[in-house]
Amino acid sequence: TLFCRLQRAKVQVEILGNHPQGIYEVIRDLAQYKRPMLVTETGVDGSKDPEAIDAWLLKTMAWTRQAMADGFDVRGYYYWSLFDNYEWNIGLHMQMGLYEIDPKDPSKKRVARSAVESYRQIVSGNALDPARLQKLLLGVDKEAFAPLRKRSWNMSRQSATL
């Protein structure tokens, strides 16, 4: 979901399905309002594919990074969610958290998914290790990511605009 503040109102756009490039497309379209943007509540269900969360995080972060490099005023990216949670319309069936929680376990033990390490690298170093990116994007259409290979992975606004 992307939010863009317009005077006193919020514009909310929801992208449903697995289309990471959609983050870039919506950022580009919302740029016409000339307001700073935050990418919020972006995530994917990892119940069927344990690596889906890591791949989603990296791909949507890559497209957000590309939007920043192209001059769009993106001020932040917030993954949804830290833990698996209850979704009012689906219940406990979606597993979107960076940390897995077994709802049947009385202690609610938290187990880190592979995406935690990617997110940790991005947050702590403001960048992503290119070797990790290559490993996680194996089998992905390389042409879709051609523009991203030409730039630094540093996620800071200053570096993104170089």
Side-chain angles (χ1 to χ4, degrees):
T1 304
L2 292 167
F3 286 104
C4 177
R5 287 194 179 271
L6 301 176
Q7 296 172 355
R8 295 177 194 249
K10 288 183 183 178
V11 172
Q12 179 177 347
V13 178
E14 292 191 27
I15 302 171
L16 302 175
N18 191 352
H19 182 60
Q21 188 175 349
I23 293 277
Y24 179 91
E25 294 161 356
V26 172
I27 290 169
R28 180 197 59 214
D29 293 347
L30 289 175
Q32 68 180 313
Y33 298 108
K34 301 188 184 323
R35 298 286 189 254
M37 291 173 266
L38 293 173
V39 177
T40 65
E41 295 190 28
T42 180
V44 67
D45 180 14
S47 61
K48 293 183 178 67
D49 177 7
E51 297 301 314
I53 294 172
D54 207 8
W56 178 263
L57 171 69
L58 294 173
K59 291 174 191 178
T60 56
M61 185 67 77
W63 284 108
T64 301
R65 164 65 182 86
Q66 183 65 45
M68 293 167 66
D70 289 348
F72 300 116
D73 190 3
V74 179
R75 305 270 175 105
Y77 176 104
Y78 301 94
Y79 184 81
W80 182 259
S81 160
L82 181 59
F83 303 111
D84 288 344
N85 63 333
Y86 178 81
E87 296 287 333
W88 68 271
N89 58 339
I90 300 171
L92 297 169
H93 301 291
M94 290 184 78
Q95 297 176 352
M96 298 175 67
L98 294 174
Y99 286 85
E100 177 181 0
I101 295 178
D102 180 356
K104 296 175 184 147
D105 178 5
S107 69
K108 304 294 187 245
K109 181 180 175 186
R110 290 141 179 97
V111 178
R113 290 195 169 97
S114 61
V116 168
E117 184 56 32
S118 295
Y119 205 56
R120 178 178 300 147
Q121 286 180 5
I122 293 166
V123 171
S124 66
N126 208 20
L128 178 66
D129 176 16
R132 186 167 178 79
L133 178 67
Q134 277 299 108
K135 178 184 171 200
L136 291 167
L137 295 181
L138 289 176
V140 172
D141 177 14
K142 301 297 188 226
E143 289 307 307
F145 286 87
L148 303 174
R149 289 194 300 269
K150 297 177 185 174
R151 294 184 169 89
S152 158
W153 258 93
N154 190 308
M155 293 297 293
S156 71
R157 180 130 181 84
Q158 291 175 333
S159 296
T161 57
L162 295 178

